[in-house]
Amino acid sequence: MEELTAPVDLGTPGGLLNPAAVAFSRTPLHRPVVPSGARGGWRTKRWEYWGILTPELAVGLTIAHLDYAATLQLYVFERSTGKEISADPLKLLPSYADISLPDTLPPLTAFGSFGGSSLRFHDADGGTRLTASSPRVSVDLFAEADGDVLGVVVPWSGRRYQYTLKDVARRVSGTVTVDGREYSVGGEDSFAVLDRGRGRWPYSRRWNWGAGAGTVDGVRLGLQVGGKWTAGTPATENALIVDGRLHHYDGELEFQYDLADPASAWRVRGEWIDAVLTPFHRRVAATNAVVISARTWQAFGTWTGTARTPDGTEYALDGLGGWIEEARNRW
């Protein structure tokens, strides 16, 4: 897939895919303007998801808009106790006061507030401040922006296409409070991942997604793998980031796992990677509303294995923290 080196519009004024946008980038260059509502057949999707992993916590923060509905999520897993907390309100026909997901290049501010939860992601001062609150959880974190990202456009058709940006291996610091207990976040073993999406989706899709980050033998690594939803298109969302430099890979990956066994390992293989994530926790999330049906199996754990850069240099992934998932969605 070709690399994009200058800003480009994701869609045309009429809402069709701009062919010039079908490329990957290592910095945000896609202007993701996509008409909403009836002009898109009520299929426009926007989201900002942040995943944070620390030695003590796994945290997920989501603001999503689906044309006819909005969803928020504030998820925390407390590793020492096994406590799992999730607040995920849904609101039909939301207003601008409920949610904002700008279709612009960064810096941007996204927010959502309804159903007892409030989330805000604000780009400033070389990173993004993440604040969130629900009845049992509050978050105040800063995720540094200090390296390449992976931006990719997946072209299913002229009317159905998706822009996604994956920013893995961000250093993160701040505090997370769970049921009155405050956790300090920071250090080499804590990281944040941004998953941004703008586009027009088919009704039903299934995907795999995995991410990891950490320092191995003095090298800061970020891992991004995905599959199934890109099959049959020229796009892939696979990359290795080495000390802030992104290496993007074409070609689909093979994912092996057993959803019937929560403790089983997940394996990812391809020409450039052979890696295994051994989980310490698996989360199963399901939504069954009138307009939205979704189910996700997400395993948090530790990576082992190897990955190679295009010049043949091999890197051990042993000890990277991260997660991997299968998701099935009808939106």
Side-chain angles (χ1 to χ4, degrees), residues 3-23:
E3 180 177 352
L4 192 66
T5 58
V8 66
D9 290 338
L10 174 61
T12 69
L16 298 178
L17 172 64
N18 177 10
V22 182

Side-chain angles (χ1 to χ4, degrees), residues 115-306:
S117 294
S118 181
L119 294 87
R120 186 175 187 268
F121 311 147
H122 176 64
D123 292 336
D125 302 322
T128 306
R129 187 177 181 196
L130 314 174
T131 56
S133 64
S134 69
R136 299 175 62 185
V137 175
S138 64
V139 174
D140 190 350
L141 298 171
F142 186 76
E144 298 179 31
D146 59 357
D148 289 346
V149 305
L150 174 63
V152 171
V153 170
V154 180
W156 295 300
S157 71
R159 294 183 178 276
R160 298 287 178 257
Y161 49 90
Q162 174 63 38
Y163 165 64
T164 183
L165 183 141
K166 301 294 196 297
D167 190 353
V168 302
R170 281 205 187 192
R171 291 180 173 86
V172 64
S173 59
T175 60
V176 177
T177 303
V178 183
D179 288 335
R181 179 180 178 181
E182 184 176 279
Y183 290 90
S184 179
V185 175
E188 287 296 319
D189 293 330
S190 299
F191 70 95
V193 172
L194 167 63
D195 174 14
R196 171 174 295 146
R198 302 288 191 275
R200 288 179 165 175
W201 277 65
Y203 174 64
S204 178
R205 267 295 178 265
R206 176 186 176 193
W207 68 80
N208 289 124
W209 175 42
T215 301
V216 181
D217 297 330
V219 179
R220 181 74 173 174
L221 297 175
L223 177 67
Q224 160 63 40
V225 292
K228 290 189 175 67
W229 72 299
T230 57
T233 77
T236 62
E237 52 169 355
N238 303 319
L240 180 69
I241 298 177
V242 180
D243 284 335
R245 180 64 175 175
L246 180 136
H247 303 275
H248 176 253
Y249 302 91
D250 292 324
E252 291 292 323
L253 299 176
E254 178 186 1
F255 292 79
Q256 297 175 332
Y257 50 93
D258 182 2
L259 294 181
D261 181 2
S264 65
W266 297 54
R267 187 175 186 183
V268 182
R269 293 194 294 178
E271 291 184 0
W272 61 277
I273 187 171
D274 190 348
V276 172
L277 182 131
T278 301
F280 61 77
H281 175 65
R282 192 180 76 171
R283 171 191 176 220
V284 180
T287 301
N288 290 292
V290 174
V291 293
I292 300 172
S293 175
R295 190 170 181 85
T296 301
W297 295 260
Q298 184 180 27
F300 300 93
T302 303
W303 289 96
T304 57
T306 59

